[in-house]
Amino acid sequence: MGAMANPVILTVDDDPVVSRAVARDLRRRYGERYRVIRAGSGPEALDALREIKLRGEQVALLLADHRMPEMTGIEFLEAAMDLFPAARRVLLTAYADTDAAIEAINVVDLDHYLLKPWHPPEEKLYPVMDGLLEAWAATPDAALTEIRVVGHRWSAPSFKIRDFLARNLIPYRWLLTDDPEGARLLAAAGASETDVPLVVTAEGKTLIAPSAAELASVVGLAVEPTTDFYDVVVVGGGPAGLGSAVYAASEGLRTVLVERRATGGQAGQSSRIENYLGFPDGVSGAQLTDRARRQALKFGAELLSTREVIGLTEAGGARLLRFGDGTEIAAHTVVLATGVSYRVLDAPGVGDFTGRGVFYGAVSTEAPNCVDQEVYIVGGANSAGQAAVFFSRYAARVHLVVRGPDLTASMSRYLIDQLEQSDRITVHPHTQVVGAAGGDHLERITLCDSRTGEVRTAETSWLFVFIGAEPRTDWLDGVLLRDERGFIITGPDLVTDGKPPSGWSLSRDPYHLETSLPGVFAAGDVRSQSVKRVASAVGEGAMAVSLVHRYLEAQ
């Protein structure tokens, strides 16, 4: 397999003299065991960290000067946490900046701060570095565990495995069956090219075509609840569900979040969300999801993966949720935050290539494979616009296929401006995909202009679909009131002529986010008449918890 590169110590300082001096002192003591890399600014250092991350290497320690013009040391360390959360963090400060350094202990979980000058290093630098590096080496870092996946390039089952790992933020290495290393792994596992996808864990355990639940159990995701009764069960791990889990757990409620696929929902697939409060430079859906997951776990919430809820019943003061395997959990209250799914593109041939050139949502794992190729995106809302901007960094050209006359009715202005400014993005209004064809993968699509009826063929192996959303609420049929599209009706919308819905058992009217079953609340996109935005979903998730408290206090 080849020897792994030494872990990295990265130093950041905009003063070349100081930068060289820090690197010199660190290399003198640690150069045999670590690679000491220096950068002249925060952005330059972040670029270096991204490259290190892509190579699957480790970062043991980050040492950043506080006063830098483009990005302060605190800002850099905060951004670096998303890439290497286990790396030890040190701030280099002048005596006048000690207050900022103390503040950074809370902001970026700072491990230490050093005052300039640090000479002699034997007294002021090395003892601190020794302790931090020993602590890093003694702490297992899940983010550095390498899982290897071997499969075929245009295999839908292989894509499902890679997509599951990526959406759950599990690092992995993708190997084709005809790669030398992929072939060696197949041979070592006693498998052939037909026995794919093959998953090899860091411990050497092999799984052939594992189910999502099997894969979750070996990569460290929780799949079983620790008890059978909770204060609140949150169903769905998108922004609304994560918001509920964070607030419920932080307020002392016994909380479990149940997700059938991956936390983050549709927002978790967004390459960059630029209109979310508090992130002026934007934030990726994966970053936002990771931070929310860590918050929920920090406060004691349980997060269960690959568990699909298929039933909800009332049992006296409890609410029972039934899983697909027949097991159940119970709770005083339930928050339904199951979100929505992209609609399937109903055109001849399209279904034959799902996972083999046709993808639903912004599948970031495929972006590097789209270099210098023609990419087609179907949809006119924000998610499609974000995907177009993202894929334009890789593709020769991105074609945005829109059924309507333009984008103004469904897309935010800031995204429309970005699309118009890009010379790699072409918008095709009044256009629909009406067919797809190919061999072992998608090779061409058929487009139709709805104004003229003109039909044309486009050569492409990449079609990403964002054509509206449908709630996954069929399992609630006969249990909760839903609107004609399947969205869950809540609060005042349940009251007709001053009367609560039929079967309502309480003397009061339903709370704002409460469903037709008392103690069961809906938040986010799955709720009828909700605002389909990340910020509003998080807000509703928090509001649902306040209503849970009101409900519990009244019992």
Side-chain angles (χ1 to χ4, degrees):
M1 296 289 293
M4 292 290 290
N6 284 342
V8 170
I9 297 175
L10 179 66
T11 72
V12 193
D13 199 306
D14 63 313
D15 186 333
V17 175
V18 175
S19 178
R20 286 193 295 269
V22 174
R24 178 199 63 221
D25 287 343
L26 291 174
R27 288 193 180 107
R28 183 186 304 161
R29 187 174 181 94
Y30 307 109
E32 291 184 2
R33 293 176 292 144
Y34 296 90
R35 285 188 300 138
V36 178
I37 298 174
R38 61 188 182 95
S41 68
E44 179 184 338
L46 287 176
D47 286 342
L49 288 179
R50 293 186 187 100
E51 184 176 347
I52 293 168
K53 188 73 173 179
L54 290 174
R55 292 200 300 258
E57 298 172 3
Q58 303 181 5
V59 174
L61 188 142
L62 303 165
L63 192 154
D65 182 57
H66 176 55
R67 289 182 178 268
M68 294 187 291
E70 294 181 78
M71 177 184 286
T72 68
I74 295 175
E75 291 170 340
F76 161 72
L77 291 173
E78 184 175 16
M81 287 174 67
D82 290 330
L83 293 168
F84 293 95
R88 302 296 163 168
R89 293 172 285 275
V90 179
L91 194 68
L92 192 60
T93 70
Y95 184 81
D97 296 324
T98 53
D99 288 342
I102 293 171
E103 179 184 355
I105 292 175
N106 294 322
V107 175
V108 299
D109 195 18
L110 194 69
D111 293 296
H112 203 87
Y113 67 91
L114 289 171
L115 293 176
K116 300 178 184 179
W118 61 87
H119 294 292
E122 290 76 8
E123 295 179 11
K124 298 185 178 181
L125 179 66
Y126 297 152
V128 172
M129 297 295 104
D130 286 347
L132 293 177
L133 292 172
E134 288 173 7
W136 175 82
T139 304
D141 181 9
L144 299 174
T145 300
E146 184 180 64
I147 294 170
R148 285 151 289 170
V149 180
V150 183
H152 298 302
R153 175 66 195 89
W154 295 110
S155 161
S158 295
F159 164 72
K160 286 183 179 179
I161 294 293
R162 293 186 291 124
D163 186 53
F164 177 84
L165 292 172
R167 292 189 61 182
N168 282 285
L169 309 177
I170 305 296
Y172 70 93
R173 188 176 180 188
W174 167 237
L175 299 164
L176 296 174
T177 55
D178 53 4
D179 287 340
E181 187 174 344
R184 284 195 294 269
L185 286 173
L186 285 173
S192 67
E193 289 192 11
T194 60
D195 297 324
V196 293
L198 169 71
V199 177
V200 183
T201 69
E203 297 77 22
K205 182 177 181 180
T206 59
L207 300 90
I208 295 176
S211 67
E214 291 172 334
L215 190 56
S217 65
V218 300
V219 299
L221 298 175
V223 296
E224 296 291 342
T226 60
T227 184
D228 57 4
F229 197 91
Y230 295 85
D231 292 319
V232 57
V233 175
V234 181
V235 184
L242 287 168
S244 287
V246 167
Y247 282 95
S250 69
E251 294 172 12
L253 297 176
R254 288 172 299 169
T255 305
V256 61
L257 182 149
V258 181
E259 169 56 47
R260 72 186 185 98
R261 189 175 180 188
T263 52
Q266 286 190 12
Q269 293 180 277
S270 296
S271 56
R272 182 151 298 269
I273 303 169
E274 298 189 64
N275 58 352
Y276 189 72
L277 184 67
F279 292 88
D281 298 322
V283 60
S284 73
Q287 288 175 317
L288 198 61
T289 297
D290 183 47
R291 293 184 178 196
R293 278 176 54 90
R294 283 190 275 142
Q295 274 185 298
L297 292 170
K298 168 188 173 183
F299 289 122
E302 294 179 39
L303 305 183
L304 304 185
S305 299
T306 68
R307 299 305 299 268
E308 184 172 10
V309 179
I310 63 170
L312 168 65
T313 56
E314 182 179 11
R319 304 293 175 260
L320 297 180
L321 291 166
R322 187 172 72 259
F323 294 127
D325 62 0
T327 60
E328 294 181 336
I329 56 174
H332 291 300
T333 61
V334 174
V335 177
L336 298 174
T338 51
V340 292
S341 299
Y342 289 116
R343 291 194 183 99
V344 174
L345 180 58
D346 186 16
V350 171
D352 298 334
F353 299 103
T354 302
R356 298 189 296 128
V358 176
F359 306 95
Y360 289 86
V363 185
S364 59
T365 54
E366 299 302 314
N369 298 315
C370 298
V371 172
D372 297 332
Q373 298 193 43
E374 301 284 320
V375 171
Y376 282 77
I377 295 174
V378 183
N382 278 7
S383 54
Q386 290 163 350
V389 173
F390 173 68
F391 281 104
S392 69
R393 303 172 192 167
Y394 301 87
R397 179 157 296 278
V398 175
H399 302 267
L400 191 59
V401 180
V402 183
R403 176 179 296 184
D406 55 39
L407 299 168
T408 56
S410 55
M411 189 178 293
S412 297
R413 186 70 239 179
Y414 82 92
L415 274 173
I416 296 175
D417 291 341
Q418 290 184 26
L419 297 180
E420 292 175 346
Q421 292 166 9
S422 174
D423 58 2
R424 289 191 175 190
I425 300 175
T426 301
V427 179
H428 302 272
H430 299 288
T431 304
Q432 298 181 53
V433 175
V434 295
D440 65 343
H441 68 282
L442 178 69
E443 295 176 4
R444 69 192 69 87
I445 58 175
T446 304
L447 302 170
C448 178
D449 189 314
S450 60
R451 295 167 299 181
T452 65
E454 177 188 357
V455 176
R456 62 185 179 87
T457 299
E459 302 293 324
T460 184
S461 295
W462 307 100
L463 180 65
F464 298 89
V465 182
F466 303 81
I467 53 171
E470 297 175 328
R472 299 191 303 269
T473 59
D474 290 345
W475 61 282
L476 294 168
D477 187 30
V479 180
L480 302 181
L481 290 180
R482 300 176 295 153
D483 65 19
E484 65 280 0
R485 295 185 297 161
F487 292 92
I488 300 172
I489 303 173
T490 60
D493 293 335
L494 290 167
V495 179
T496 304
D497 297 328
K499 297 181 180 179
S502 175
W504 182 257
S505 60
L506 303 180
S507 58
R508 61 169 177 81
D509 288 342
Y511 294 139
H512 183 65
L513 300 180
E514 198 167 18
T515 69
S516 56
L517 179 59
V520 177
F521 303 83
D525 290 0
V526 75
R527 191 177 69 83
S528 180
Q529 305 300 318
S530 66
V531 178
K532 306 302 191 273
R533 288 290 185 269
V534 175
S536 61
V538 173
E540 287 194 6
M543 184 190 300
V545 174
S546 69
L547 297 175
V548 163
H549 280 296
R550 288 176 61 183
Y551 174 84
L552 293 175
E553 290 165 359
Q555 298 306 301

